[in-house]
Amino acid sequence: MNRLTGFVFENKVAHGAFVELSEGVGEMLGRRAYSGDVRKLLGEAMAAMPLLATHLGYEGRINLQFQGEDAVKMLVAQVDHHLEVRAMAKAPEDLQGSFTGLLRGGVLALMLEPNAEHRESTQASVPIEGTSLAQALEAYFTQSEQLPTLIRLAADGDRLRGFLLQRMPLEDARGGEEDWEHVSILAATLKPEEMLQADLATLLGRLFAEEEVRVFEPRPVTVACRCSRAGISRLLLSLGREECDSILAEQGRIAVTCEFCGKEYAFTQFETAELFAAAGAVPSTTRH
Ligand SMILES: [Zn+2]
């Protein structure tokens, strides 16, 4: 079962989470031809997303997004507040390389996108440094969020694992800085291979044998594409009537293929006209 399990140290110096994904992973990663290294990077990105969602204090979505020209052209991994994960990349099929090699010359960013209209989306860049996506995300947390964080990601075929350990505000903790250092040094010994072989209880027992750790009820995670005709309709509305009419004049219909799952959504001239007519009839209270 795909799940995200949170835990907290009883002395409140740190909390963490462990994610296990396998269902739906092969299907999502199998939709495009990825080289071994790109597939591994994409798998690690998928494993990271539920860990990042432990910070999502609202309904919405988190995007990890990469744009580049030299090696990987594009990589997107998303998670929403239902813990639904989807991801895709565009890269030459034979592209191999290290983390910084695959992402050379590009820009990696985390975008927080709340659903509520009154909340602004925010974007922060993730430094492309270190030897792995996990290290880059650790640098992000240290620099942007000023939260000492340890992240481990593992991808082996369809089995993805992620581990996060993060310091909590010490003014509320029963422990101090030295307690954080102690648990973070222990956690730093965690190897990706161990995460693929052992469950969370075993890992916590091995890493923190002397510590009191409370483990929360696991939350289910889905690896699937949430695209819908309604979502594509909103996309067409945002393109505008003029743009849609010009596509219809050229191609006779509008066909939009979801980049994540490959599903095609087609709109005839009549359906497009109906869509814009219906949108025009919507009371403007919902659309400021
Ligand atoms: Zn889709």
Side-chain angles (χ1 to χ4, degrees), residues 225 227 258 261:
C225 191
C227 68
C258 173
C261 67

Side-chain angles (χ1 to χ4, degrees), residues 86 225-227 258 260-263 265:
R86 62 179 186 173
C225 191
R226 195 181 269 272
C227 68
C258 173
F260 290 92
C261 67
K263 192 166 173 186
Y265 296 88

Side-chain angles (χ1 to χ4, degrees), residues 55-287:
H55 283 265
L56 199 63
Y58 50 78
E59 293 198 355
R61 199 160 70 176
I62 301 179
N63 271 359
L64 178 68
Q65 199 153 325
F66 173 81
Q67 297 280 354
E69 282 172 14
D70 299 344
V72 173
K73 309 280 183 226
M74 181 188 191
L75 186 151
V76 183
Q78 298 180 335
V79 66
D80 64 11
H81 59 278
H82 300 290
L83 293 181
E84 188 154 281
V85 175
R86 62 179 186 173
M88 58 81 71
K90 287 182 184 169
E93 283 179 31
D94 57 352
L95 181 70
Q96 301 284 356
S98 63
F99 169 66
T100 49
L102 292 175
L103 301 190
R104 66 179 179 268
V107 177
L108 184 63
L110 260 185
M111 281 137 74
L112 309 182
E113 302 176 334
N115 285 347
E117 288 182 19
H118 61 277
R119 297 187 71 149
E120 294 277 312
S121 294
T122 56
Q123 182 172 340
S125 70
V126 177
I128 300 170
E129 60 181 46
T131 59
S132 64
L133 178 62
Q135 286 187 4
L137 290 171
E138 286 176 355
Y140 159 80
F141 275 109
T142 309
Q143 290 166 23
S144 299
E145 312 266 324
Q146 263 131 47
L147 282 173
T149 303
L150 180 135
I151 295 174
R152 290 287 182 275
L153 303 170
D156 180 28
D158 297 354
R159 298 173 66 240
L160 313 177
R161 298 289 183 271
F163 179 92
L164 173 138
L165 183 81
Q166 190 162 65
R167 206 192 71 185
M168 291 169 73
L170 290 179
E171 51 273 25
D172 309 325
R174 276 194 279 116
E177 183 66 32
E178 67 285 356
D179 296 293
W180 158 253
E181 276 171 21
H182 178 64
V183 295
S184 64
I185 287 167
L186 294 173
T189 63
L190 180 62
K191 301 269 184 303
E193 309 83 77
E194 286 180 86
M195 290 163 55
L196 290 161
Q197 283 155 13
D199 61 11
L200 179 62
T202 308
L203 293 176
L204 292 177
R206 260 186 224 163
L207 291 170
F208 312 115
E210 316 267 291
E211 309 294 324
E212 283 181 71
V213 182
R214 179 152 39 110
V215 177
F216 299 110
E217 200 59 33
R219 294 168 64 194
V221 181
T222 317
V223 175
C225 191
R226 195 181 269 272
C227 68
S228 65
R229 195 168 172 87
I232 302 296
S233 297
R234 283 194 294 277
L235 181 76
L236 296 189
L237 290 171
S238 72
L239 274 180
R241 185 73 200 246
E242 209 171 309
E243 181 70 26
C244 289
D245 282 345
S246 94
I247 299 170
L248 285 165
E250 210 172 279
Q251 299 171 7
R253 62 174 199 149
I254 301 175
V256 180
T257 304
C258 173
E259 297 240 64
F260 290 92
C261 67
K263 192 166 173 186
E264 193 193 83
Y265 296 88
F267 294 75
T268 61
Q269 190 145 18
F270 178 71
E271 287 167 335
T272 309
E274 265 195 325
L275 178 66
F276 278 93
V282 166
S284 62
T285 48
T286 56
R287 307 191 300 134

